[in-house]
Every structure is written in structure tokens, then in C-alpha cells.
């Protein structure tokens, strides 16, 4: 309390009493009380509680109430779509700012979770806050303490909710369960060694009482390898661990040639998976092998299970099937991003798009290839439309210490800014960036703790077909047909959000948030925020009123560093993380 924090309570009380009757005294009293509460918030959790809380069950995670946002992309099928329709094509232009919240400094990529009228918000640096979702009032906060500066400012792309717990995957490779009422720690487990570079940026998928998480930071040479784990939601006990890198002597191990496990880098699973409860499968993307270029990692093999979709049994971690999108990938062209589950003509499918800008459709029960549609912005590989097999184009495999020009750059045509799906149009809404690079790869240190990405030089340039625009927002039917698109000088760098009101929300580096008609692409609403619109917009309802929450901030990788290089006339503030919540005017 305030009294407990006073350095000399008796002396302070005497001083205050002596001066209470003066204006100066009243000002000093207000100042001292304010300072005390600032000190309190800096050294301990806010003590307020969530007033009432209904435990979140597996049934609720499978079919969230319309007013809630309970999973990373709202539903465990990854749609990024809300059935709320109070805000429509006809009235979206009336949206007004209802409240806002300043967020911690660092790389802002957050997704709010909303349940029971409470918003749970992850800030950069593993600060979690519970806010009244209608007013923005703070209820409690949890601030993780790091022994070094390594974890400070790192993004939390999403958190999870289950029963009465908020699940946080941390920047120092721990998983923490917080009491949803108070923010107090319920359990915590140390999953990997942060001193080896392991960390989390993506949150967990919760399925059947299991907290399933993919590890990141698998850049260096360690015997550990990268992996996906499941932990018991009640206790934090580890239940299984599945390697995302095929080990020597195990199935797929020979695809790394004769490299020992120590030198099999990469395979990060840094984007949260999706879940099909009927099939009992969870789907995860796996990142590229490292070092990035074949010549740097000293093998031209397929390097399983990198650049793949994995279908895992959530109860055992056993791999039911895998599909490698890009065998022997050699340019940092991640295929790790969101997996979206859609039934097409009665066939259960899983869709994804990686950095190459190829929309993949697989049978989610068997992993069988169905379709691949190339947007046409990459010049690295050819795609066999009948089989889905990729083959490198002539002279496109890097050589050591020689510059190679290719499209897209390492930022990708598509990146972690998730696409969304609308059942109204049967289409995906995809933020893109149109860029290329000239890159030089070199050898790396071949020792324990060595490794890295192998890139030693890079210069980006606009895609020759971009028309001078770095950003594009595309509506793409599940068949691969382009319904409409918009281009902007700077990139669209938020994820997309679609709603039953016929709207697609997205935002740009140039500080603008937009709402488009999902059918026609007509721009229906636009507002400007203090800095870049990024992270994952969500929508929810409290007491019959629909809100749209949109994040702004800094950080976020090359999609936000490239504009300074390629569109230098477009400037943005390099500070000012915040969340901005909009609604229609109250009646």
C-alpha cells in the first residue's frame, strides 16, 4: 500500500499535516501520493481482480461465444473471422475511437484475448495486463523479470486462455500460467536454455487440456534441436516433445546427408498451430533449415522436417503425416506461417502461404497435395501444378561469397502478418509486400554454439512488377482466383481480420487502418493512428456493443525496416506502442 512504501512514514505525515492548509501543500500531497502509486506499479502487480470469471472449457475454445476472442485467430481452425455483424458495410464509416491504451516499448505484434468482458493483453517484454474491455480500465498486470536484457522488448504474438488461467510463453523459453482473476503465477516451467538462444514469440495452442507450443531461436549449433512440446494445463508437467528436425538414424534423418545432430540447425515452429477436434490432429508449420543456404549448411538434402506442415496427435505428439513444401530450401523462404482449416467441396483441407507467395492446399486428413497457386512474385522455383513439387530455377542456388539477386527478399511476399478467411466469399485476405534482394551468403563457424543464418550482405529493392508500391492487400478465393487487390506505397503490416458484417480490416506502415468490403474491395473506412498499424486486429462485444481493437507500434522485422530503405519519403514515429479500440457511437 501507499503507507508501506513511504520511506519515512512518521516524518512524511508530520510534513503533510504542517502544510495541508496551503495550496502548495495540497499540490505536494497529490504529487507524493501519485509518486507512491507509480512506485507500487513498478515493483509489484496491480492488486485489483477480475470481478467475475467463467472458466474457459475445451468446448468454448472449439466454438467460442460470438462476443469473445479466445484463440490466437479466434477459432482453432485459424480463420481470423468473427460472426459479429453489428458493424457492417453500411455503418462502418461511423466508427469512432472509444478508448486507447499505451503499451510497453519493444516489438509490438500482439493479439488481445477477450473473455467475459475482460481483455487480456500481452505487451512486448512479457508484460500481461487485464483490462475492462468496454472502458480500458486496468484490472491487473503481470510483469516478467529478466536477469539480463535479452528478453526485454521481445514480442508476444499471442497468449492463451484455458479454464481459469492465462498461458504466457516467454522470451526466456519458459511457459507461465497466470491466474485469470488476479495475474498471480499458478505454475511455471523451464522448457529450454535461453543461453543457447531458445525463446518463444508465439503463444500456445490449447487442445484437450494440453498446452502445445513451438520453440524458436534454433539458429545456433546445439545437440538439442528444435521441437514442439505439450504441457499439462493444470500442472505444467511436460507430456511430450516432438523434434522438428529429423535426427540421424531416425525416419527422414538421411535427408540431412551425413551431418551430425549438432549441425542440424533451424526447424523453428514460431507460429501457433491450428486444431481439428474431429480428426484429432493439430497442424504446425516448420521454418527453414539453418544456415539458410545449402552451400552454407554443407548439404543439398531435403533437410526434413524443415519448410513443412506437420500433423501431430495432440495426445502423444506422434507425427501422423508431414508435407514438405520446399525441399532443400536455400534462400530463407519460410513456410512456417498460419495453417487455416477450410472444407472445400466437402474435402477437409489445410491452407497456408509462405514467403514465396504460393497458396498451398493439402488434404488435412492425409497430407495429400491438392493444389498450389503461385501469386507470381517469386523467381526462385518452379511449381508443378499437378504434383506440387518445387524445383530450383537455373542459376538460383546460392554460392559462397557471391551476390545473388532474387525475389522476394528475406522478408517474403507473405510473412507472419496472418491472412484471414471469410465464409461469405470463400476467400483469403492476405497482406503482402513486393520486394527483392541482392544477398551474399558465406560459411559459418562449425563448432558447438556456432552457426547462424550465413548471410553476410543484403540490399533490398522494389519488385520490378510493383509499380513503385511496396504493399499489396489481396482477396484470393480458395481456388486461387484473385477477386480484388489494393496496392499502397508502403506495406500492409498488420494481420487481416474479417467479420460477418462483410468487412476486412487491415493496416499499413504509413499509420492507416482500413476496412474494405470483402466482396468488392471497396474502401469503406480509414483512420490514422500514431504509428504503424501492426499486430493482429480483433473484434468483440460487451453488453451488446461491438468493438474493434487495432494495435499500433514499432518493431516487427524487415517489413518495417524496408520502408526506410525503399520508401524513404514515408516516415513514421519510432515510438508509441498502443492499442486503439473503436465502436459505433453509443445510442
Amino acid at each position: 500500500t501507499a503507507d508501506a512504501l513511504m520511506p519515512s512514514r512518521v516524518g512524511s505525515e508530520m510534513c503533510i499535516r504542517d502544510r495541508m492548509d496551503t495550496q502548495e501543500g495540497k499540490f505536494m500531497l497529490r504529487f507524493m501520493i501519485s509518486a507512491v502509486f507509480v512506485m507500487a506499479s513498478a515493483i509489484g502487480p496491480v492488486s485489483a481482480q477480475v470481478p467475475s470469471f467463467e472458466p474457459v472449457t475445451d468446448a468454448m475454445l472449439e466454438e467460442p461465444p460470438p462476443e469473445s476472442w479466445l484463440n490466437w485467430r479466434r477459432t482453432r481452425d485459424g480463420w481470423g473471422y468473427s460472426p459479429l455483424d453489428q458493424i457492417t458495410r453500411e455503418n462502418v464509416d461511423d466508427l469512432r475511437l472509444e478508448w486507447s491504451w499505451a503499451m510497453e516499448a519493444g516489438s509490438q505484434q500482439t493479439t488481445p484475448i477477450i473473455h467475459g468482458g475482460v481483455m487480456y493483453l500481452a505487451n512486448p517484454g512479457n508484460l500481461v495486463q487485464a483490462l475492462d474491455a468496454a472502458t480500458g480500465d486496468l484490472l491487473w498486470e503481470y510483469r516478467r523479470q529478466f536477469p539480463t536484457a535479452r528478453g526485454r522488448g521481445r514480442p508476444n504474438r499471442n497468449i492463451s486462455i484455458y479454464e481459469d488461467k492465462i498461458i504466457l510463453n516467454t522470451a526466456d523459453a519458459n511457459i507461465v500460467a497466470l491466474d485469470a482473476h488476479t495475474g498471480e503465477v499458478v505454475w511455471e516451467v523451464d522448457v529450454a536454455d535461453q543461453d543457447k538462444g531458445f525463446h518463444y514469440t508465439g503463444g500456445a495452442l490449447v487442445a484437450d487440456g494440453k498446452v502445445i507450443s513451438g520453440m524458436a531461436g534454433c539458429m545456433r549449433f546445439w545437440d538439442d534441436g528444435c521441437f514442439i512440446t505439450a504441457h499439462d494445463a493444470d500442472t505444467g508437467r511436460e507430456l511430450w516433445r516432438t523434434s522438428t528436425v529429423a535426427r540421424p538414424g531416425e525416419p527422414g534423418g538421411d535427408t540431412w546427408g551425413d551431418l551430425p545432430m549438432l549441425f542440424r540447425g533451424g526447424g523453428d515452429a514460431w507460429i501457433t498451430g491450428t486444431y481439428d477436434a474431429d480428426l484429432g490432429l493439430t497442424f504446425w508449420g516448420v521454418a527453414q533449415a539453418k544456415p539458410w543456404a545449402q552451400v552454407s549448411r554443407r548439404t543439398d538434402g531435403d533437410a526434413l522436417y524443415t519448410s513443412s506442415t506437420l500433423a501431430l496427435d495432440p495426445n502423444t505428439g506422434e507425427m501422423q503425416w508431414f508435407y514438405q513444401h520446399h525441399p532443400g530450401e536455400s534462400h530463407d523462404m519460410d513456410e512456417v506461417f498460419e495453417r487455416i482449416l477450410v472444407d472445400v467441396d466437402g474435402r477437409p483441407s489445410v491452407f497456408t502461404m509462405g514467403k514465396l507467395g504460393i497458396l498451398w492446399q493439402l488434404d488435412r486428413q492425409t497430407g495429400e497435395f491438392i493444389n498450389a497457386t503461385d501469386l507470381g512474385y517469386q523467381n526462385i522455383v518452379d511449381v508443378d501444378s499437378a504434383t506440387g513439387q518445387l524445383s530450383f530455377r537455373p542459376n538460383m542456388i546460392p554460392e559462397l561469397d557471391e551476390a545473388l539477386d532474387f525475389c522476394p527478399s528475406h522478408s517474403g511476399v507473405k510473412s507472419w502478418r496472418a491472412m484471414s478467411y471469410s465464409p461469405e466469399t470463400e476467400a483469403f485476405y492476405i497482406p503482402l509486400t513486393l520486394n527483392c534482394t541482392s544477398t551474399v551468403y558465406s560459411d559459418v563457424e562449425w563448432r558447438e554454439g556456432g552457426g547462424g543464418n550465413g548471410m553476410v550482405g543484403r540490399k533490398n529493392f522494389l519488385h520490378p512488377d510493383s509499380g513503385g508500391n511496396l504493399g499489396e492487400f489481396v482477396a484470393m478465393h480458395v481456388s486461387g482466383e484473385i477477386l480484388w487487390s489494393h496496392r499502397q506505397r508502403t506495406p500492409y503490416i498488420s494481420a487481416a481480420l474479417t467479420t460477418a458484417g462483410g468487412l476486412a480490416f487491415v493496416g499499413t506502415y504509413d499509420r492507416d487502418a482500413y476496412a474494405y468490403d470483402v466482396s468488392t474491395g471497396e474502401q469503406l473506412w480509414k483512420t490514422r493512428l500514431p504509428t504503424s498499424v501492426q499486430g493482429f486486429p480483433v473484434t468483440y462485444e460487451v453488453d451488446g456493443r461491438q468493438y474493434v481493437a487495432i494495435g499500433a507500434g514499432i518493431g516487427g522485422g524487415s517489413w518495417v525496416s524496408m520502408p526506410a530503405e525503399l520508401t524513404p519519403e514515408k516516415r513514421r514515429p519510432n515510438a508509441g506502442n498502443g492499442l486503439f479500440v473503436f465502436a459505433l457511437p453509443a445510442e
Side-chain angles (χ1 to χ4, degrees):
T1 66
D3 284 346
L5 289 170
M6 286 292 188
S8 177
R9 183 183 174 198
V10 174
S12 298
E13 287 176 346
M14 291 175 62
C15 175
I16 290 170
R17 290 192 191 103
D18 288 344
R19 308 186 67 173
M20 275 290 290
D21 292 333
T22 68
Q23 282 298 109
E24 182 184 3
K26 291 176 182 178
F27 173 79
M28 281 191 63
L29 177 60
R30 288 195 299 269
F31 177 81
M32 291 174 69
I33 291 172
S34 297
V36 164
F37 282 102
V38 168
M39 290 170 62
S41 65
I43 65 173
V46 174
S47 60
Q49 297 187 13
V50 172
S52 62
F53 187 88
E54 180 184 2
V56 175
T57 64
D58 276 288
M60 293 170 66
L61 291 177
E62 183 62 21
E63 294 187 20
E67 68 273 12
S68 299
W69 195 282
L70 298 183
N71 301 281
W72 171 48
R73 301 298 287 147
R74 187 178 177 275
T75 47
R76 293 190 292 192
D77 54 18
W79 284 16
Y81 168 83
S82 170
L84 295 179
D85 60 2
Q86 184 181 101
I87 301 169
T88 67
R89 297 172 170 93
E90 290 72 28
N91 62 24
V92 65
D93 194 45
D94 293 328
L95 279 184
R96 299 292 184 268
L97 182 66
E98 188 68 18
W99 61 267
S100 61
W101 183 260
M103 295 174 63
E104 199 80 357
S107 183
Q108 196 291 104
Q109 304 176 23
T110 197
T111 313
I113 292 290
I114 297 94
H115 174 60
V118 176
M119 175 184 289
Y120 300 92
L121 182 66
N123 289 240
N126 298 161
L127 170 66
V128 180
Q129 295 163 324
L131 307 171
D132 185 308
T135 66
D137 293 336
L138 178 64
L139 302 175
W140 59 253
E141 72 175 30
Y142 164 84
R143 184 183 297 270
R144 185 160 185 81
Q145 301 298 319
F146 296 102
T148 68
R150 186 183 293 120
R152 298 170 195 164
R154 272 188 174 158
N156 278 119
R157 206 163 287 113
N158 57 299
I159 51 180
S160 309
I161 187 169
Y162 185 64
E163 295 177 339
D164 58 353
K165 303 176 188 68
I166 302 299
I167 309 296
L168 169 69
N169 290 357
T170 75
D172 55 353
N174 280 230
I175 302 176
V176 181
L178 305 174
D179 187 314
H181 300 267
T182 65
E184 298 295 329
V185 175
V186 178
W187 54 255
E188 178 175 348
V189 292
D190 188 349
V191 182
D193 187 349
Q194 67 160 334
D195 292 334
K196 295 180 177 180
F198 294 112
H199 63 270
Y200 288 113
T201 57
L205 168 76
V206 180
D208 300 331
K210 298 168 183 66
V211 176
I212 306 174
S213 307
M215 185 56 66
C218 312
M219 182 77 71
R220 298 291 174 181
F221 290 151
W222 307 105
D223 278 323
D224 310 59
C226 226
F227 52 85
I228 299 168
T229 61
H231 290 78
D232 183 276
D234 290 329
T235 65
R237 180 173 63 89
E238 185 170 312
L239 302 174
W240 53 257
R241 181 174 295 214
T242 296
S243 177
T244 53
V245 174
R247 296 173 173 270
E250 296 182 359
D254 58 351
T255 62
W256 289 81
D258 59 0
L259 287 179
M261 186 61 203
L262 176 63
F263 299 128
R264 300 185 180 202
D268 314 53
W270 52 275
I271 294 289
T272 306
T274 46
Y275 179 55
D276 184 327
D278 293 333
L279 293 178
L281 293 176
T282 179
F283 305 91
W284 292 75
V286 181
Q288 77 286 74
K290 297 179 181 70
W292 289 339
Q294 293 178 4
V295 65
S296 298
R297 62 178 180 264
R298 300 184 182 181
T299 176
D300 60 358
D302 292 351
L304 289 173
Y305 295 97
T306 64
S307 302
S308 298
T309 296
L310 307 184
L312 306 179
D313 182 330
N315 295 311
T316 65
E318 183 179 353
M319 195 180 302
Q320 301 301 301
W321 58 258
F322 73 90
Y323 183 90
Q324 190 170 39
H325 300 274
H326 198 343
E329 193 281 316
S330 200
H331 300 76
D332 180 31
M333 293 296 111
D334 263 331
E335 295 285 348
V336 71
F337 309 120
E338 68 279 2
R339 266 57 184 167
I340 301 181
L341 312 183
V342 180
D343 292 350
V344 179
D345 297 327
R347 188 170 189 180
S349 301
V350 51
F351 288 85
T352 190
M353 180 181 285
K355 286 184 178 178
L356 289 170
I358 298 172
L359 181 68
W360 296 91
Q361 180 186 1
L362 308 175
D363 185 301
R364 68 175 181 264
Q365 185 168 10
T366 65
E368 180 184 356
F369 169 80
I370 299 175
N371 192 31
T373 304
D374 188 349
L375 285 169
Y377 290 126
Q378 62 86 22
N379 66 356
I380 297 171
V381 298
D382 290 314
V383 187
D384 187 317
S385 60
T387 66
Q389 292 298 305
L390 299 190
S391 57
F392 287 103
R393 293 183 182 180
N395 304 314
M396 288 308 298
I397 298 180
E399 298 182 11
L400 286 181
D401 303 316
E402 293 188 13
L404 179 67
D405 292 358
F406 55 88
C407 303
S409 78
H410 302 275
S411 74
V413 173
K414 164 81 168 58
S415 189
W416 56 259
R417 293 85 181 165
M419 59 187 180
S420 62
Y421 174 76
S422 171
E424 177 183 331
T425 57
E426 297 182 328
F428 301 104
Y429 296 81
I430 315 169
L432 305 174
T433 180
L434 311 179
N435 60 87
C436 305
T437 187
S438 180
T439 293
V440 178
Y441 296 100
S442 188
D443 207 356
V444 298
E445 292 184 89
W446 287 82
R447 59 171 179 79
E448 186 177 61
N453 59 38
M455 182 182 72
V456 295
R458 168 183 177 182
K459 181 175 177 59
N460 297 315
F461 54 95
L462 283 168
H463 196 286
D465 297 332
S466 67
N469 296 294
L470 194 51
E472 185 171 10
F473 188 51
V474 171
M476 189 176 193
H477 190 265
V478 291
S479 65
E481 177 190 0
I482 302 298
L483 303 183
W484 53 260
S485 69
H486 287 283
R487 284 187 174 179
Q488 296 278 351
R489 176 72 169 144
T490 61
Y492 290 89
I493 59 170
S494 80
L497 162 68
T498 51
T499 74
L503 302 170
F505 291 89
V506 72
T508 67
Y509 174 91
D510 201 24
R511 300 186 288 133
D512 290 322
Y514 294 91
Y516 296 109
D517 186 310
V518 293
S519 297
T520 67
E522 180 185 357
Q523 179 186 309
L524 302 175
W525 175 75
K526 174 183 174 181
T527 192
R528 176 155 276 195
L529 298 183
T531 189
S532 297
V533 182
Q534 58 188 60
F536 298 83
V538 304
T539 187
Y540 60 92
E541 185 177 279
V542 180
D543 295 332
R545 194 175 185 204
Q546 184 181 353
Y547 299 83
V548 177
I550 300 174
I554 62 169
S558 54
W559 274 29
V560 292
S561 62
M562 274 195 308
E565 181 181 359
L566 303 182
T567 59
E569 80 283 6
K570 295 290 188 178
R571 304 292 297 275
R572 66 157 197 187
N574 287 319
N577 290 342
L579 188 75
F580 300 84
V581 180
F582 299 87
L584 298 174
E587 293 183 353

